[in-house]
Amino acid sequence: MLKKILFTVYIIIIVCLGSATIIEKYHGSEYVSTHIYGSWWMIVLWAVLVALSIFYILWHRVKRLSMMTLHLSFIVILAGALLTHLTSMNGMIHLREGELTTSYSAQSSDDEEVRLPLPFSITLNHFEVKRHEGTEAASDYITRFTIFTSESDSIKGEVSMNNIYSHNNTRLYQASYDEDEKGSYLSMNSDPYGITVTYIGYALLFIGLIWILLDPKGKYRQVIRQITM
């Protein structure tokens, strides 16, 4: 019974992650990071999966390294999701030509807009709307800016509809612009710890699954041998 519950929760999470990949193409990384990957219900699902995995290992006294790696990956992925929920930053940066911006707007837990400090200063150098030849229809929006990491260090960057800019685990996306075309809105997503830990967890998950399939003493290989005999 425990094994069936564990498998069911695992399948639900796989379906959610697969759906998130599709949703991300239409709504962006910020949306899925907030409403799926970092959501309370996804963290609860991972917590349930980890708790069941630990209980399963202790109850059945699992000693096979392939199974231990698989269940360890669940714990690491949950830790990554928790770090994302606690340390990630998501919001909107409004830039105006020649003005230095040091903060961004974000939604609080009460759905109120708050101003929070950026990990760097940024100024808009130039914003440009490219249009299809002979029409007023926009083909691309381009924001050129400078990031100041200190009083003496600066980095020039560019963001467009199909070009994301990354700086020290902070990603900037072109979101919108002012009607006078002298200002730009950039969507910001920063997750310095959660993404790295989560990717490690996914790598362990992949290794664990492959290991289980190739383990000569595992149940999967035993079933294959019975079928081919």
Side-chain angles (χ1 to χ4, degrees):
M1 184 65 180
L2 176 61
K3 195 172 183 179
K4 290 182 179 179
I5 297 174
L6 185 62
F7 181 75
T8 300
V9 175
Y10 176 69
I11 291 299
I12 291 173
I13 289 177
I14 292 297
V15 171
C16 290
L17 293 177
S19 301
T21 302
I22 298 173
I23 294 172
E24 186 174 6
K25 293 182 179 179
Y26 297 95
H27 296 280
S29 299
E30 181 181 344
Y31 181 88
V32 295
S33 176
T34 302
H35 294 87
I36 299 180
Y37 297 132
S39 64
W40 66 267
W41 56 267
M42 178 60 82
I43 294 176
V44 168
L45 278 175
W46 278 116
V48 170
L49 183 62
V50 169
L52 290 174
S53 298
I54 293 174
F55 184 75
Y56 180 85
I57 291 173
L58 296 176
W59 182 261
H60 293 277
R61 297 180 181 178
V62 177
K63 297 181 179 179
R64 197 172 300 282
L65 288 177
S66 56
M67 289 297 297
M68 293 289 287
T69 301
L70 179 66
H71 292 291
L72 175 63
S73 70
F74 300 151
I75 299 175
V76 176
I77 292 172
L78 176 64
L82 181 60
L83 284 172
T84 295
H85 184 71
L86 296 175
T87 65
S88 66
M89 297 186 299
N90 299 282
M92 195 72 66
I93 304 174
H94 182 210
L95 303 176
R96 292 289 296 179
E97 285 189 8
E99 295 181 7
L100 187 67
T101 302
T102 59
S103 63
Y104 70 100
S105 60
Q107 294 296 120
S108 67
S109 57
D110 299 325
D111 285 332
E112 295 180 357
E113 186 175 292
V114 295
R115 300 292 301 180
L116 298 173
L118 283 167
F120 49 78
S121 300
I122 183 172
T123 185
L124 175 62
N125 299 328
H126 180 68
F127 176 77
E128 178 184 0
V129 179
K130 288 190 175 182
R131 294 178 168 82
H132 293 286
E133 188 175 352
T135 71
E136 289 298 315
S139 62
D140 199 1
Y141 313 132
I142 302 174
T143 299
R144 297 181 177 89
F145 52 84
T146 300
I147 288 178
F148 299 92
T149 55
S150 66
E151 292 184 1
S152 57
D153 294 328
S154 63
I155 304 170
K156 292 187 182 297
E158 180 178 306
V159 170
S160 63
M161 292 174 63
N162 299 311
N163 178 43
I164 299 171
Y165 179 83
S166 295
H167 172 72
N168 290 344
N169 296 307
T170 299
R171 294 183 176 183
L172 301 178
Y173 308 81
Q174 183 66 56
S176 183
Y177 62 95
D178 294 335
E179 291 184 1
D180 61 3
E181 299 184 9
K182 292 184 179 180
S184 177
Y185 286 88
L186 301 182
S187 176
M188 183 199 70
N189 173 265
S190 179
D191 189 4
Y193 309 110
I195 290 179
T196 301
V197 174
T198 301
Y199 282 169
I200 293 173
Y202 286 146
L204 288 173
L205 177 61
F206 177 77
I207 292 171
L209 290 173
I210 297 299
W211 197 347
I212 288 172
L213 293 177
L214 299 179
D215 189 352
K217 296 182 180 180
K219 290 186 178 180
Y220 177 79
R221 301 297 294 182
Q222 292 176 6
V223 172
I224 294 298
R225 283 195 292 268
Q226 291 175 359
I227 295 175
T228 56
M229 287 180 61

